[in-house]
Amino acid sequence: MNKSILTKRENEVFDLLVQNQSTKDIAKTLNISEKTVRNHISNAMQKLGVKGRAQAVVELIKLGHLKI
């Protein structure tokens, strides 16, 4: 799989998520609503076929999309 599995914004959200930022922090940092942050996370989880943020992070690390 290539880098384009997630949108640029979904990648940004997960980059912040692995830095231990809350949904609220991520929303502030990216200047979007908390609901939008949750939507990005939810969309990414669907694309990855996982149930939960932790599983999504693990999958993205395995695919080489995230570094911790």
Side-chain angles (χ1 to χ4, degrees):
M1 277 184 210
N2 61 12
K3 187 79 175 163
S4 64
I5 188 169
L6 298 185
T7 65
K8 181 177 180 282
R9 191 56 120 187
E10 288 164 354
N11 275 314
E12 290 170 343
V13 168
F14 275 94
D15 284 340
L16 294 169
L17 201 58
V18 295
Q19 291 171 36
N20 212 21
Q21 290 203 24
S22 67
T23 302
K24 192 175 198 166
D25 295 333
I26 295 169
K28 271 188 196 163
T29 303
L30 298 178
N31 205 21
I32 57 180
S33 75
E34 289 180 54
K35 181 166 179 15
T36 303
V37 173
R38 287 191 296 272
N39 286 342
H40 285 311
I41 293 168
S42 177
N43 291 340
M45 289 186 328
Q46 263 192 314
K47 289 179 191 177
L48 294 164
V50 297
K51 291 177 170 62
R53 294 174 179 209
Q55 267 188 296
V57 168
V58 168
E59 202 55 37
L60 289 168
I61 292 166
K62 278 189 204 167
L63 294 170
H65 295 298
L66 270 183
K67 288 184 176 62
I68 51 168

